[in-house]
Amino acid sequence: MKNKETKLSNGSNKLFEGSRFIMPQHREAAVIAAREELRQSRPLFDEQRIQDLSYAINEAINERSQVNISIFGEFGNTEEQGWISRIDQLKHQIRLETGDRDFEWIKLEDIVDIQVR
């Protein structure tokens, strides 16, 4: 007669067999925690950097030059291309024309970098 394996038998892993399962709530909490580790904070610019960005915006508007704008995002910056057509000083945002009739309003505080082409 063969020896019957039990959860407590030597060499058996059946005692912890149930620990391989992850409850949906625990998995969701782990995913949220991993995502929060990737979150980045908004960069703080000194006065010189702010003046450089302002100069680039004014140059782009006056010369109607195309620009590449890096926009802050909590989980990664995005890049947009187009022409700056307006500055809304009341709302602190610029209007970026991206196509024939397409445009996007971008808050000045979200601009990380501007490259005039």
Side-chain angles (χ1 to χ4, degrees), residues 96-117:
L96 183 70
E97 304 282 338
T98 56
D100 290 337
R101 295 178 185 250
D102 296 332
F103 65 90
E104 182 177 348
W105 286 101
I106 301 172
K107 294 181 181 179
L108 293 173
E109 65 187 25
D110 290 341
I111 297 175
V112 177
D113 190 30
I114 298 177
Q115 295 176 352
V116 179
R117 301 196 306 172

Side-chain angles (χ1 to χ4, degrees), residues 9-109:
S9 300
N10 284 338
S12 176
N13 191 26
K14 293 182 181 179
L15 179 62
F16 300 104
E17 191 72 30
S19 67
R20 292 185 186 171
F21 296 104
I22 297 176
M23 294 181 64
Q25 298 88 345
H26 294 164
R27 182 185 183 288
E28 183 179 339
V31 168
I32 290 172
R35 185 167 185 191
E36 288 299 317
E37 287 180 10
L38 298 176
R39 185 182 300 261
Q40 59 186 7
S41 60
R42 185 179 306 277
L44 298 175
F45 296 129
D46 62 351
E47 194 64 34
Q48 179 64 40
R49 180 70 176 142
I50 293 171
Q51 286 179 358
D52 291 343
L53 292 174
S54 297
Y55 178 78
I57 291 171
N58 286 329
E59 180 184 355
I61 290 175
N62 291 336
E63 297 180 11
R64 189 81 175 137
S65 301
Q66 189 172 7
V67 294
N68 290 337
I69 299 180
S70 179
I71 304 168
F72 170 77
E74 289 183 330
F75 298 104
N77 297 340
T78 58
E79 298 284 329
E80 292 289 335
Q81 293 182 31
W83 293 268
I84 299 173
S85 61
R86 286 183 44 193
I87 298 176
D88 187 345
Q89 293 181 353
L90 186 61
K91 294 183 181 179
H92 301 282
Q93 58 188 8
I94 61 172
R95 180 175 166 158
L96 183 70
E97 304 282 338
T98 56
D100 290 337
R101 295 178 185 250
D102 296 332
F103 65 90
E104 182 177 348
W105 286 101
I106 301 172
K107 294 181 181 179
L108 293 173
E109 65 187 25

